[in-house]
Each structure stands twice: as structure tokens, then as C-alpha cells.
Amino acid sequence: MEKSIVLIDMNAYFASVEQVSNPLLRGKPIVVCGEGRTVVTTASYEARKFGVKTAMSLYEARALCPQVIAVCGNMDKYVDTSLKIHKILLDFSDQVEPFSIDECFMDITHLCSKGVSAKDVAKKMKGRIKNELGLLCSAGIGPNKVIAKLASKLEKPDGLVEIKSGSAAAFLENLPVEELQGVGVGRKTSAKLRLLGIYTAGRLGAASEDFLRFHFGVMGSYLKNVGLGLDYAGVKKYSENDQIKSVGHSHTLPRDTRDMSVVRSYLMMLSQKTGERLRRYGLTGGTVSIVIRYGDFRTFSKQNILKNGVKTPEEIYGAAKNILAAALPLSGPVRLVGIRVSGLSRDDGQQFLLDDINKSRVLSEQIYELNKKYGEFTVKPSSVLIAEKFGVSEGCGMRGRHMLKKP
DNA sequence: TCTGGGGTCCTAGGACCC
DNA sequence: TCTGGGGTCCTAGGACCC
């Protein structure tokens, strides 16, 4: 029996959430972004009319639409709303697989019957999300995730499109490879496909697997399947979603700097944020990596596997500082600093009982409690102050994939 | 004041071991 | 005196996603 997979994709998600929570923003061109040297994360449909798009610098957005309202993103709010969406969808089925903060795949095959079509089911889901949260979404339905995803892009906002397996081939036949963005064919891959003479999804499906494997490695077989509209990956149950694999933060400085005390100060601030999230998730990390981007956009990363693992901001910072020290001298002014902790494991409270480690944890425990009570960075190590003086912006979390997946 | 921030996955090369 | 050859871990970079 043919499956019915639906992708629910929220429309202009961050911007819409802001417009719902602040009536003054409704009907107005707004963009959700960060501060300082930032780009547009999401533009409202009113702003899109002016040509404002995601990933555009705020500067460009203002040039296209001078009256645009820039709203600083609030990740907690978006995550919270996202969980509410999941809750609604879980009323229909436990096969809900979050694909990003604003998208979920669902297998609704079992909800369809003679009298109830997949479109009927999706319409009900859309209705509940709209009624209960005031948000619009587009639903794409297909025999698998790839087709569902492509279908969801056809009608926005508030779309509802079904592509049945019988019509998938016709749909893909002349679909430009650029339109496959979102299903694993990004800018570089579509450009390469074009160079190889493959301009449409239809041609991609017709290409020989050997040929594709030669040019794209293991991705080759997957690409051919995409061209054929085939995808064998099922939809996971909500409870079976992947564990989070890494946690990190990065920050673009207000201006480039050669001052290593400023760079270290940002590392400290980012360690603080990362450590707090690890704590919230109850995780301990085994690997710390730092990222440095120079003013000319050259970027490098270095990592270290720690013998004892890291948990507190102090431990993360200690590791990060050492990695930075080993990378000195840097070869230019620094634009961006980042930290990521991976190799995560459940923190069962039994490990790392060394005395000195515990002492610093008692301190950071106290800092954590105070910050929870009075807000982020109420209590902080003195070196963060350098970053603050330098002009760090806070509370502008951005969108990421798999951020919702609970460890 | 061109070019954010949060993630996942793949690859290629070197170290290391048997 | 011709350089073996796997397997695995680690590192760094890059493509891709939203």
C-alpha cells in the first residue's frame, strides 16, 4: 500500500511567532535578526514583497525596505512554540519526526481511509495549528519524505499540495536541479550537476549510478534516487528521535580584532552559554572545539578530546583557551569566535569525582542558580566583562536543525 | 559597517596498532 | 633494501540544512 507522508512546514516561522506575540508587528514588514553585523533570519511576508530575503544583511534589507522593523530573535520562544506544534501533531499520530525547528515529517498512512484522504488529515492539522497558535503552515504530501518536502515548497503561505507516486515522475521530469534544494542538493551540488550536463531532476534519475558515484561518492546513489523520486527512509516515532550530538555557540564580533584578550573573553562568554545548555540537558562533553574566522572569511577549527570530559563553563573555557594558545599566533584580525562541545554523554552524576573538578563545579552550580533566578550573565567571570565592553549582543539565538531533539 | 548562528554528516589524510 | 595491509581513531575542512 502506498504511504502518505506529510511535511508540515511553518511559514515565515520566526517572524510569524513575533507577529503573534506582538500585535503591533502584525501586517508590517519585519525581519528577525541578530544585532551588530547580522543577517536576516526570517522575513515576514510583508517584508518579502519588497524583496527582503533570508540570509540578506540587515543593511541590504533596509535598502530594499526602509520601513522594515528589525526584531531581535528569541530562540527560547521559538523552541517553546515548536514544542506546542509537536503537541498538536502528536494528537494525530506518534509518528512525528521534527526535521528542523519549524518542520515535521509525519506518516499519516494509517489515518487515511476510504472516506478520509491524506489532504483531509493535513487540513485538520493546519486548522488546529492556526486556531490554537495563530500560525500558518504549508503541508506537502507524498509517498515518501523527499516528495513530501518538495510538495511543501510548491504553495506558500498556507499551502496544501499532494503529489501521488503516480505523478511524481511527471513532476520531476523537468524540475530544475536547483529546485531540489532542501533535499540534499545544495548550491555546490546543483552547480556541479549543471557542469556535468544534468539540468533536471528527471535527468538526474536517468543518469547512471556509477557515473554519479564517481562524481559524488556515496551521495551518488542517493542523488539518483532523488531524481527518481525514491526515498526509503521511514518516519521516526517522536520518542525515537536522535539524541543531540553537539552543543555550541559562535559570535561575530562587532568589529574585527587582533586583541587576544578580547578573543579569550568571547570564548569565556560562549563557554558560559554552552555550559549552561549542557547543564540544562544533563550532558557532559568529551570533545571541545573552537572556530576562528578571520576578517577575510578564512575559517579554521581546532579540537581537543579531553581525558576527563567537560561540563561546567570553567572546564569548557579551560579547554578552549588551551586550544587557542596552541593555535597562536593567528594570521589576521578575528571576525568570529565559536565553541562547540561534542562527544556528549548522559551526565549521571557519578563520573568525574576528582576533588578539584568538583570544587569548580560547586562554584558554577551557584552561578547557575543565580543566573536562573536573575537572568543570564547576572553573575559571570570577570573576563566576560571585556567582551561586554567590546560590545557583545545577547539573546539573539538563531535557527538550527535538530535543536529540539531532546537528549 | 556586504556576508549570522545552530546544527549534522561526509571525506581525506595521518597516526597507531596488530 | 621493494612501499604490506587492514582497521580504527583523530583531525580539519567543507557541504548542506533551516
Side-chain angles (χ1 to χ4, degrees), chain A residues 243-287:
Chain A
Q243 287 202 344
I244 192 164
K245 303 233 167 70
S246 69
V247 173
H249 286 279
S250 62
H251 192 86
T252 295
L253 280 44
R255 56 187 181 279
D256 299 350
T257 184
R258 291 192 132 90
D259 186 343
M260 287 307 112
S261 70
V262 169
V263 172
R264 277 191 294 271
S265 181
Y266 275 93
L267 282 177
M268 166 74 86
M269 188 237 354
L270 296 166
S271 302
Q272 199 77 26
K273 294 171 85 158
T274 306
E276 273 168 30
R277 280 180 57 213
L278 283 182
R279 191 189 184 295
R280 214 184 314 150
Y281 299 155
L283 293 170
T284 298
T287 302

mmCIF file of all heavy atoms in Angstrom, chain A residues 243-287:
data_model
loop_
_atom_site.group_PDB
_atom_site.id
_atom_site.type_symbol
_atom_site.label_atom_id
_atom_site.label_comp_id
_atom_site.label_asym_id
_atom_site.label_seq_id
_atom_site.Cartn_x
_atom_site.Cartn_y
_atom_site.Cartn_z
ATOM 1 N N GLN A 243 19.418 11.528 19.439
ATOM 2 C CA GLN A 243 19.973 12.328 20.517
ATOM 3 C C GLN A 243 20.756 13.486 19.922
ATOM 4 O O GLN A 243 21.300 13.385 18.836
ATOM 5 C CB GLN A 243 20.931 11.475 21.340
ATOM 6 C CG GLN A 243 20.228 10.458 22.198
ATOM 7 C CD GLN A 243 21.106 10.028 23.355
ATOM 8 O OE1 GLN A 243 22.302 10.260 23.351
ATOM 9 N NE2 GLN A 243 20.501 9.401 24.344
ATOM 10 N N ILE A 244 20.825 14.535 20.688
ATOM 11 C CA ILE A 244 21.629 15.672 20.276
ATOM 12 C C ILE A 244 23.099 15.243 20.283
ATOM 13 O O ILE A 244 23.515 14.456 21.122
ATOM 14 C CB ILE A 244 21.364 16.852 21.232
ATOM 15 C CG1 ILE A 244 21.935 18.131 20.677
ATOM 16 C CG2 ILE A 244 21.892 16.579 22.612
ATOM 17 C CD1 ILE A 244 21.361 19.340 21.376
ATOM 18 N N LYS A 245 23.879 15.721 19.289
ATOM 19 C CA LYS A 245 25.259 15.242 19.155
ATOM 20 C C LYS A 245 26.289 16.278 19.573
ATOM 21 O O LYS A 245 27.414 15.943 19.913
ATOM 22 C CB LYS A 245 25.515 14.847 17.702
ATOM 23 C CG LYS A 245 24.545 13.804 17.179
ATOM 24 C CD LYS A 245 25.301 12.635 16.584
ATOM 25 C CE LYS A 245 24.416 11.440 16.329
ATOM 26 N NZ LYS A 245 23.468 11.609 15.251
ATOM 27 N N SER A 246 25.924 17.534 19.484
ATOM 28 C CA SER A 246 26.861 18.578 19.899
ATOM 29 C C SER A 246 26.094 19.832 20.294
ATOM 30 O O SER A 246 24.955 20.021 19.896
ATOM 31 C CB SER A 246 27.853 18.895 18.776
ATOM 32 O OG SER A 246 27.211 19.542 17.705
ATOM 33 N N VAL A 247 26.758 20.640 21.100
ATOM 34 C CA VAL A 247 26.155 21.899 21.554
ATOM 35 C C VAL A 247 27.222 22.975 21.410
ATOM 36 O O VAL A 247 28.367 22.759 21.791
ATOM 37 C CB VAL A 247 25.739 21.806 23.044
ATOM 38 C CG1 VAL A 247 25.270 23.157 23.547
ATOM 39 C CG2 VAL A 247 24.650 20.759 23.230
ATOM 40 N N GLY A 248 26.853 24.106 20.859
ATOM 41 C CA GLY A 248 27.858 25.144 20.721
ATOM 42 C C GLY A 248 27.272 26.505 20.462
ATOM 43 O O GLY A 248 26.064 26.652 20.236
ATOM 44 N N HIS A 249 28.140 27.486 20.521
ATOM 45 C CA HIS A 249 27.734 28.860 20.220
ATOM 46 C C HIS A 249 28.868 29.538 19.480
ATOM 47 O O HIS A 249 30.037 29.202 19.661
ATOM 48 C CB HIS A 249 27.451 29.637 21.512
ATOM 49 C CG HIS A 249 26.159 29.246 22.163
ATOM 50 N ND1 HIS A 249 24.948 29.727 21.759
ATOM 51 C CD2 HIS A 249 25.902 28.387 23.174
ATOM 52 C CE1 HIS A 249 23.997 29.194 22.500
ATOM 53 N NE2 HIS A 249 24.551 28.368 23.368
ATOM 54 N N SER A 250 28.498 30.498 18.656
ATOM 55 C CA SER A 250 29.518 31.306 17.999
ATOM 56 C C SER A 250 29.018 32.742 17.960
ATOM 57 O O SER A 250 27.824 33.004 18.122
ATOM 58 C CB SER A 250 29.787 30.789 16.592
ATOM 59 O OG SER A 250 28.629 30.872 15.801
ATOM 60 N N HIS A 251 29.940 33.641 17.739
ATOM 61 C CA HIS A 251 29.548 35.047 17.739
ATOM 62 C C HIS A 251 30.449 35.850 16.811
ATOM 63 O O HIS A 251 31.663 35.715 16.858
ATOM 64 C CB HIS A 251 29.631 35.608 19.159
ATOM 65 C CG HIS A 251 28.969 36.941 19.279
ATOM 66 N ND1 HIS A 251 27.615 37.073 19.530
ATOM 67 C CD2 HIS A 251 29.457 38.205 19.141
ATOM 68 C CE1 HIS A 251 27.318 38.356 19.554
ATOM 69 N NE2 HIS A 251 28.411 39.058 19.319
ATOM 70 N N THR A 252 29.803 36.638 15.983
ATOM 71 C CA THR A 252 30.553 37.572 15.140
ATOM 72 C C THR A 252 30.781 38.846 15.928
ATOM 73 O O THR A 252 29.829 39.446 16.441
ATOM 74 C CB THR A 252 29.779 37.872 13.849
ATOM 75 O OG1 THR A 252 29.684 36.679 13.083
ATOM 76 C CG2 THR A 252 30.477 38.943 13.038
ATOM 77 N N LEU A 253 32.032 39.235 16.043
ATOM 78 C CA LEU A 253 32.380 40.411 16.832
ATOM 79 C C LEU A 253 31.844 41.679 16.163
ATOM 80 O O LEU A 253 31.684 41.722 14.952
ATOM 81 C CB LEU A 253 33.908 40.498 16.973
ATOM 82 C CG LEU A 253 34.580 39.605 18.019
ATOM 83 C CD1 LEU A 253 34.041 38.195 18.024
ATOM 84 C CD2 LEU A 253 36.078 39.584 17.818
ATOM 85 N N PRO A 254 31.611 42.696 16.967
ATOM 86 C CA PRO A 254 31.125 43.962 16.396
ATOM 87 C C PRO A 254 32.117 44.526 15.383
ATOM 88 O O PRO A 254 31.734 45.186 14.432
ATOM 89 C CB PRO A 254 31.008 44.881 17.601
ATOM 90 C CG PRO A 254 31.067 44.021 18.794
ATOM 91 C CD PRO A 254 31.739 42.743 18.411
ATOM 92 N N ARG A 255 33.388 44.281 15.614
ATOM 93 C CA ARG A 255 34.418 44.649 14.638
ATOM 94 C C ARG A 255 35.578 43.674 14.792
ATOM 95 O O ARG A 255 35.730 43.052 15.840
ATOM 96 C CB ARG A 255 34.882 46.095 14.856
ATOM 97 C CG ARG A 255 35.379 46.359 16.258
ATOM 98 C CD ARG A 255 35.670 47.844 16.504
ATOM 99 N NE ARG A 255 36.174 48.047 17.844
ATOM 100 C CZ ARG A 255 35.401 48.124 18.937
ATOM 101 N NH1 ARG A 255 34.091 48.014 18.827
ATOM 102 N NH2 ARG A 255 35.950 48.290 20.123
ATOM 103 N N ASP A 256 36.378 43.563 13.744
ATOM 104 C CA ASP A 256 37.499 42.622 13.781
ATOM 105 C C ASP A 256 38.521 43.066 14.829
ATOM 106 O O ASP A 256 38.669 44.254 15.087
ATOM 107 C CB ASP A 256 38.177 42.560 12.404
ATOM 108 C CG ASP A 256 37.196 42.088 11.332
ATOM 109 O OD1 ASP A 256 36.093 41.639 11.695
ATOM 110 O OD2 ASP A 256 37.540 42.177 10.146
ATOM 111 N N THR A 257 39.186 42.069 15.391
ATOM 112 C CA THR A 257 40.180 42.426 16.416
ATOM 113 C C THR A 257 41.409 41.525 16.347
ATOM 114 O O THR A 257 41.334 40.381 15.922
ATOM 115 C CB THR A 257 39.575 42.326 17.837
ATOM 116 O OG1 THR A 257 40.554 42.784 18.776
ATOM 117 C CG2 THR A 257 39.210 40.888 18.183
ATOM 118 N N ARG A 258 42.541 42.090 16.754
ATOM 119 C CA ARG A 258 43.778 41.311 16.896
ATOM 120 C C ARG A 258 44.092 41.076 18.361
ATOM 121 O O ARG A 258 45.083 40.425 18.696
ATOM 122 C CB ARG A 258 44.958 42.085 16.272
ATOM 123 C CG ARG A 258 44.900 42.211 14.769
ATOM 124 C CD ARG A 258 46.239 42.730 14.241
ATOM 125 N NE ARG A 258 46.721 41.953 13.119
ATOM 126 C CZ ARG A 258 46.436 42.223 11.862
ATOM 127 N NH1 ARG A 258 45.660 43.246 11.565
ATOM 128 N NH2 ARG A 258 46.900 41.478 10.873
ATOM 129 N N ASP A 259 43.252 41.615 19.222
ATOM 130 C CA ASP A 259 43.497 41.560 20.663
ATOM 131 C C ASP A 259 43.063 40.201 21.218
ATOM 132 O O ASP A 259 41.880 39.904 21.297
ATOM 133 C CB ASP A 259 42.722 42.706 21.329
ATOM 134 C CG ASP A 259 43.032 42.811 22.818
ATOM 135 O OD1 ASP A 259 43.567 41.820 23.384
ATOM 136 O OD2 ASP A 259 42.735 43.865 23.393
ATOM 137 N N MET A 260 44.049 39.391 21.599
ATOM 138 C CA MET A 260 43.722 38.035 22.067
ATOM 139 C C MET A 260 42.967 38.037 23.395
ATOM 140 O O MET A 260 42.266 37.079 23.710
ATOM 141 C CB MET A 260 44.999 37.190 22.195
ATOM 142 C CG MET A 260 45.577 36.765 20.855
ATOM 143 S SD MET A 260 44.347 35.930 19.805
ATOM 144 C CE MET A 260 44.130 37.126 18.508
ATOM 145 N N SER A 261 43.092 39.102 24.158
ATOM 146 C CA SER A 261 42.332 39.126 25.419
ATOM 147 C C SER A 261 40.848 39.293 25.102
ATOM 148 O O SER A 261 39.990 38.764 25.804
ATOM 149 C CB SER A 261 42.840 40.240 26.343
ATOM 150 O OG SER A 261 42.487 41.501 25.823
ATOM 151 N N VAL A 262 40.548 39.987 24.020
ATOM 152 C CA VAL A 262 39.151 40.105 23.594
ATOM 153 C C VAL A 262 38.655 38.747 23.099
ATOM 154 O O VAL A 262 37.569 38.293 23.458
ATOM 155 C CB VAL A 262 38.998 41.174 22.481
ATOM 156 C CG1 VAL A 262 37.609 41.089 21.854
ATOM 157 C CG2 VAL A 262 39.233 42.560 23.046
ATOM 158 N N VAL A 263 39.469 38.076 22.301
ATOM 159 C CA VAL A 263 39.079 36.762 21.789
ATOM 160 C C VAL A 263 38.842 35.788 22.941
ATOM 161 O O VAL A 263 37.840 35.071 22.971
ATOM 162 C CB VAL A 263 40.157 36.204 20.828
ATOM 163 C CG1 VAL A 263 39.852 34.761 20.448
ATOM 164 C CG2 VAL A 263 40.241 37.076 19.576
ATOM 165 N N ARG A 264 39.743 35.799 23.910
ATOM 166 C CA ARG A 264 39.577 34.900 25.062
ATOM 167 C C ARG A 264 38.325 35.248 25.850
ATOM 168 O O ARG A 264 37.615 34.374 26.345
ATOM 169 C CB ARG A 264 40.820 34.962 25.970
ATOM 170 C CG ARG A 264 41.951 34.065 25.501
ATOM 171 C CD ARG A 264 43.042 33.954 26.554
ATOM 172 N NE ARG A 264 43.704 35.229 26.754
ATOM 173 C CZ ARG A 264 44.767 35.641 26.065
ATOM 174 N NH1 ARG A 264 45.305 34.854 25.153
ATOM 175 N NH2 ARG A 264 45.306 36.808 26.300
ATOM 176 N N SER A 265 38.055 36.516 25.929
ATOM 177 C CA SER A 265 36.862 36.949 26.663
ATOM 178 C C SER A 265 35.591 36.428 25.987
ATOM 179 O O SER A 265 34.653 35.988 26.650
ATOM 180 C CB SER A 265 36.846 38.470 26.739
ATOM 181 O OG SER A 265 35.721 38.903 27.447
ATOM 182 N N TYR A 266 35.570 36.471 24.666
ATOM 183 C CA TYR A 266 34.412 35.918 23.956
ATOM 184 C C TYR A 266 34.333 34.405 24.154
ATOM 185 O O TYR A 266 33.258 33.842 24.299
ATOM 186 C CB TYR A 266 34.468 36.264 22.466
ATOM 187 C CG TYR A 266 33.877 37.627 22.170
ATOM 188 C CD1 TYR A 266 34.679 38.753 22.126
ATOM 189 C CD2 TYR A 266 32.505 37.781 21.981
ATOM 190 C CE1 TYR A 266 34.136 40.015 21.889
ATOM 191 C CE2 TYR A 266 31.953 39.034 21.738
ATOM 192 C CZ TYR A 266 32.774 40.148 21.693
ATOM 193 O OH TYR A 266 32.225 41.372 21.471
ATOM 194 N N LEU A 267 35.500 33.757 24.149
ATOM 195 C CA LEU A 267 35.499 32.311 24.406
ATOM 196 C C LEU A 267 34.884 32.031 25.765
ATOM 197 O O LEU A 267 34.119 31.074 25.931
ATOM 198 C CB LEU A 267 36.940 31.771 24.367
ATOM 199 C CG LEU A 267 37.562 31.569 22.984
ATOM 200 C CD1 LEU A 267 39.015 31.112 23.120
ATOM 201 C CD2 LEU A 267 36.769 30.549 22.176
ATOM 202 N N MET A 268 35.190 32.883 26.712
ATOM 203 C CA MET A 268 34.633 32.717 28.055
ATOM 204 C C MET A 268 33.119 32.865 28.045
ATOM 205 O O MET A 268 32.392 32.060 28.610
ATOM 206 C CB MET A 268 35.278 33.770 28.978
ATOM 207 C CG MET A 268 34.585 33.952 30.299
ATOM 208 S SD MET A 268 34.897 32.578 31.420
ATOM 209 C CE MET A 268 36.425 33.111 32.171
ATOM 210 N N MET A 269 32.654 33.887 27.332
ATOM 211 C CA MET A 269 31.208 34.132 27.266
ATOM 212 C C MET A 269 30.502 32.960 26.573
ATOM 213 O O MET A 269 29.465 32.490 27.020
ATOM 214 C CB MET A 269 30.965 35.432 26.497
ATOM 215 C CG MET A 269 29.533 35.861 26.537
ATOM 216 S SD MET A 269 28.663 36.093 25.009
ATOM 217 C CE MET A 269 29.695 35.919 23.662
ATOM 218 N N LEU A 270 31.097 32.471 25.486
ATOM 219 C CA LEU A 270 30.486 31.371 24.741
ATOM 220 C C LEU A 270 30.521 30.081 25.566
ATOM 221 O O LEU A 270 29.601 29.257 25.484
ATOM 222 C CB LEU A 270 31.215 31.181 23.400
ATOM 223 C CG LEU A 270 31.107 32.384 22.445
ATOM 224 C CD1 LEU A 270 32.137 32.261 21.314
ATOM 225 C CD2 LEU A 270 29.700 32.507 21.874
ATOM 226 N N SER A 271 31.588 29.917 26.356
ATOM 227 C CA SER A 271 31.678 28.753 27.243
ATOM 228 C C SER A 271 30.552 28.788 28.261
ATOM 229 O O SER A 271 29.950 27.768 28.595
ATOM 230 C CB SER A 271 33.011 28.740 28.004
ATOM 231 O OG SER A 271 34.087 28.741 27.108
ATOM 232 N N GLN A 272 30.279 29.970 28.734
ATOM 233 C CA GLN A 272 29.211 30.173 29.709
ATOM 234 C C GLN A 272 27.873 29.705 29.136
ATOM 235 O O GLN A 272 27.143 28.928 29.743
ATOM 236 C CB GLN A 272 29.156 31.674 30.046
ATOM 237 C CG GLN A 272 28.453 32.005 31.327
ATOM 238 C CD GLN A 272 29.324 31.717 32.537
ATOM 239 O OE1 GLN A 272 30.553 31.726 32.444
ATOM 240 N NE2 GLN A 272 28.710 31.412 33.657
ATOM 241 N N LYS A 273 27.583 30.193 27.922
ATOM 242 C CA LYS A 273 26.296 29.843 27.299
ATOM 243 C C LYS A 273 26.224 28.342 27.010
ATOM 244 O O LYS A 273 25.207 27.696 27.240
ATOM 245 C CB LYS A 273 26.123 30.612 25.979
ATOM 246 C CG LYS A 273 25.985 32.108 26.161
ATOM 247 C CD LYS A 273 26.045 32.835 24.837
ATOM 248 C CE LYS A 273 24.703 32.885 24.158
ATOM 249 N NZ LYS A 273 24.622 33.986 23.176
ATOM 250 N N THR A 274 27.344 27.814 26.494
ATOM 251 C CA THR A 274 27.365 26.395 26.150
ATOM 252 C C THR A 274 27.232 25.530 27.396
ATOM 253 O O THR A 274 26.480 24.555 27.417
ATOM 254 C CB THR A 274 28.678 26.059 25.409
ATOM 255 O OG1 THR A 274 28.802 26.953 24.289
ATOM 256 C CG2 THR A 274 28.681 24.626 24.912
ATOM 257 N N GLY A 275 27.957 25.914 28.439
ATOM 258 C CA GLY A 275 27.911 25.158 29.686
ATOM 259 C C GLY A 275 26.521 25.143 30.289
ATOM 260 O O GLY A 275 26.058 24.122 30.807
ATOM 261 N N GLU A 276 25.855 26.269 30.200
ATOM 262 C CA GLU A 276 24.511 26.317 30.765
ATOM 263 C C GLU A 276 23.553 25.405 30.015
ATOM 264 O O GLU A 276 22.672 24.788 30.603
ATOM 265 C CB GLU A 276 24.002 27.756 30.782
ATOM 266 C CG GLU A 276 24.441 28.454 32.051
ATOM 267 C CD GLU A 276 24.235 29.949 32.023
ATOM 268 O OE1 GLU A 276 23.288 30.388 31.340
ATOM 269 O OE2 GLU A 276 25.021 30.647 32.680
ATOM 270 N N ARG A 277 23.749 25.336 28.708
ATOM 271 C CA ARG A 277 22.873 24.431 27.950
ATOM 272 C C ARG A 277 23.192 22.975 28.254
ATOM 273 O O ARG A 277 22.301 22.148 28.367
ATOM 274 C CB ARG A 277 22.971 24.732 26.457
ATOM 275 C CG ARG A 277 22.109 25.949 26.108
ATOM 276 C CD ARG A 277 22.161 26.300 24.658
ATOM 277 N NE ARG A 277 21.763 25.222 23.789
ATOM 278 C CZ ARG A 277 22.263 25.023 22.588
ATOM 279 N NH1 ARG A 277 23.189 25.836 22.109
ATOM 280 N NH2 ARG A 277 21.850 24.050 21.844
ATOM 281 N N LEU A 278 24.482 22.658 28.362
ATOM 282 C CA LEU A 278 24.848 21.279 28.720
ATOM 283 C C LEU A 278 24.198 20.901 30.037
ATOM 284 O O LEU A 278 23.673 19.807 30.203
ATOM 285 C CB LEU A 278 26.371 21.156 28.866
ATOM 286 C CG LEU A 278 27.191 21.079 27.587
ATOM 287 C CD1 LEU A 278 28.665 20.908 27.937
ATOM 288 C CD2 LEU A 278 26.725 19.922 26.724
ATOM 289 N N ARG A 279 24.238 21.832 30.951
ATOM 290 C CA ARG A 279 23.665 21.569 32.264
ATOM 291 C C ARG A 279 22.161 21.352 32.168
ATOM 292 O O ARG A 279 21.609 20.438 32.765
ATOM 293 C CB ARG A 279 23.970 22.722 33.200
ATOM 294 C CG ARG A 279 23.620 22.368 34.627
ATOM 295 C CD ARG A 279 23.699 23.513 35.561
ATOM 296 N NE ARG A 279 23.431 23.077 36.924
ATOM 297 C CZ ARG A 279 22.269 22.598 37.354
ATOM 298 N NH1 ARG A 279 21.267 22.472 36.511
ATOM 299 N NH2 ARG A 279 22.107 22.227 38.601
ATOM 300 N N ARG A 280 21.525 22.212 31.394
ATOM 301 C CA ARG A 280 20.077 22.100 31.242
ATOM 302 C C ARG A 280 19.709 20.739 30.648
ATOM 303 O O ARG A 280 18.714 20.140 30.998
ATOM 304 C CB ARG A 280 19.585 23.222 30.325
ATOM 305 C CG ARG A 280 18.213 23.730 30.696
ATOM 306 C CD ARG A 280 17.706 24.762 29.707
ATOM 307 N NE ARG A 280 18.672 25.781 29.344
ATOM 308 C CZ ARG A 280 18.681 26.381 28.158
ATOM 309 N NH1 ARG A 280 17.813 26.055 27.240
ATOM 310 N NH2 ARG A 280 19.579 27.315 27.882
ATOM 311 N N TYR A 281 20.547 20.278 29.712
ATOM 312 C CA TYR A 281 20.261 18.997 29.062
ATOM 313 C C TYR A 281 20.758 17.809 29.880
ATOM 314 O O TYR A 281 20.494 16.660 29.531
ATOM 315 C CB TYR A 281 20.921 18.927 27.680
ATOM 316 C CG TYR A 281 20.465 19.981 26.690
ATOM 317 C CD1 TYR A 281 21.289 20.360 25.646
ATOM 318 C CD2 TYR A 281 19.212 20.580 26.790
ATOM 319 C CE1 TYR A 281 20.878 21.320 24.730
ATOM 320 C CE2 TYR A 281 18.808 21.539 25.884
ATOM 321 C CZ TYR A 281 19.635 21.906 24.850
ATOM 322 O OH TYR A 281 19.238 22.846 23.950
ATOM 323 N N GLY A 282 21.556 18.081 30.910
ATOM 324 C CA GLY A 282 22.109 16.998 31.693
ATOM 325 C C GLY A 282 23.165 16.209 30.943
ATOM 326 O O GLY A 282 23.191 14.986 30.978
ATOM 327 N N LEU A 283 24.027 16.915 30.227
ATOM 328 C CA LEU A 283 25.024 16.254 29.395
ATOM 329 C C LEU A 283 26.441 16.643 29.784
ATOM 330 O O LEU A 283 26.670 17.720 30.324
ATOM 331 C CB LEU A 283 24.801 16.633 27.926
ATOM 332 C CG LEU A 283 23.515 16.130 27.276
ATOM 333 C CD1 LEU A 283 23.328 16.780 25.910
ATOM 334 C CD2 LEU A 283 23.553 14.615 27.146
ATOM 335 N N THR A 284 27.353 15.731 29.484
ATOM 336 C CA THR A 284 28.772 16.008 29.643
ATOM 337 C C THR A 284 29.431 15.809 28.290
ATOM 338 O O THR A 284 29.030 14.920 27.541
ATOM 339 C CB THR A 284 29.391 15.038 30.665
ATOM 340 O OG1 THR A 284 28.772 15.234 31.927
ATOM 341 C CG2 THR A 284 30.882 15.261 30.801
ATOM 342 N N GLY A 285 30.416 16.658 27.979
ATOM 343 C CA GLY A 285 31.055 16.565 26.666
ATOM 344 C C GLY A 285 32.432 15.947 26.733
ATOM 345 O O GLY A 285 33.125 16.067 27.743
ATOM 346 N N GLY A 286 32.834 15.289 25.666
ATOM 347 C CA GLY A 286 34.149 14.674 25.616
ATOM 348 C C GLY A 286 35.128 15.438 24.742
ATOM 349 O O GLY A 286 36.337 15.277 24.856
ATOM 350 N N THR A 287 34.617 16.264 23.855
ATOM 351 C CA THR A 287 35.468 16.990 22.906
ATOM 352 C C THR A 287 35.071 18.458 22.864
ATOM 353 O O THR A 287 33.895 18.787 22.824
ATOM 354 C CB THR A 287 35.314 16.394 21.493
ATOM 355 O OG1 THR A 287 35.658 15.015 21.533
ATOM 356 C CG2 THR A 287 36.213 17.102 20.489
#
